[in-house]
Amino acid sequence: MGVELATESGLVLELSWATPGREEGLALALGRGENRASSDLIDYEDVGGVQDWSSVLGYFVEEVAVAFYVHDEGSSVRPWSFRIGVSNGSSVTVALGETSDHSIRYLPDNLVVIFGEATARNYEVSDSLQSAWGETVIYAE
């Protein structure tokens, strides 16, 4: 399960649920689309016509942020949310969780996509060091 974001240049950012042993988190991988393995287990969905996605598609990436948490006492710090901000001021956040009754709840083996800043800032999980909005690690104008 994951979300792949592809660029016109052929770079693909893959965000997926990662479970190295007991330590769950969000895995991040960056690579070339043509080098990606095809699988019958993966369903690809073009979101170009989906209204929420249209707010971030076709714009330059200006900001990247990540949020971390400690899954269990004695575990390493793991990413649980990743946000991309684009040149029109919009952003998309991919985090561990699911939607239920119009709200987001933590479920580590699912991913939720968030388009609103307020929603991302208000979504927190126990033992998180930041909300899903995260802390900026790359900022370019």
Side-chain angles (χ1 to χ4, degrees):
M1 162 191 24
V3 173
E4 289 186 353
L5 304 171
T7 66
E8 286 183 1
S9 68
L11 285 176
V12 176
L13 172 65
E14 179 185 345
L15 306 164
S16 60
W17 174 48
T19 56
R22 296 182 8 236
E23 299 183 20
E24 298 172 321
L26 189 62
L28 312 170
L30 184 63
R32 290 260 171 221
E34 64 268 9
N35 296 334
R36 315 254 335 138
S38 158
S39 171
D40 291 337
L41 300 175
I42 299 173
D43 292 330
Y44 289 94
E45 189 71 33
D46 182 357
V47 295
V50 177
Q51 186 172 353
D52 287 332
W53 280 100
S54 68
S55 68
V56 294
L57 297 178
Y59 296 96
F60 292 104
V61 173
E62 289 189 341
E63 185 176 20
V64 174
V66 65
F68 295 93
Y69 76 140
V70 179
H71 182 261
D72 286 320
E73 190 174 317
S75 308
S76 64
V77 174
R78 308 280 305 159
W80 73 276
S81 178
F82 187 82
R83 177 176 51 87
I84 296 173
V86 296
S87 57
N88 72 347
S90 297
S91 66
V92 60
T93 302
V94 177
L96 298 178
E98 72 171 1
T99 56
S100 176
D101 298 325
H102 304 291
S103 64
I104 302 172
R105 70 181 183 107
Y106 178 69
L107 190 62
D109 59 350
N110 283 315
L111 297 177
V112 63
V113 178
I114 304 167
F115 292 95
E117 178 178 346
T119 303
R121 285 189 182 278
N122 289 322
Y123 178 42
E124 294 185 5
V125 299
S126 62
D127 299 322
S128 66
L129 305 175
Q130 299 92 10
S131 71
W133 186 253
E135 287 196 29
T136 301
V137 292
I138 298 173
Y139 183 75
E141 288 190 56

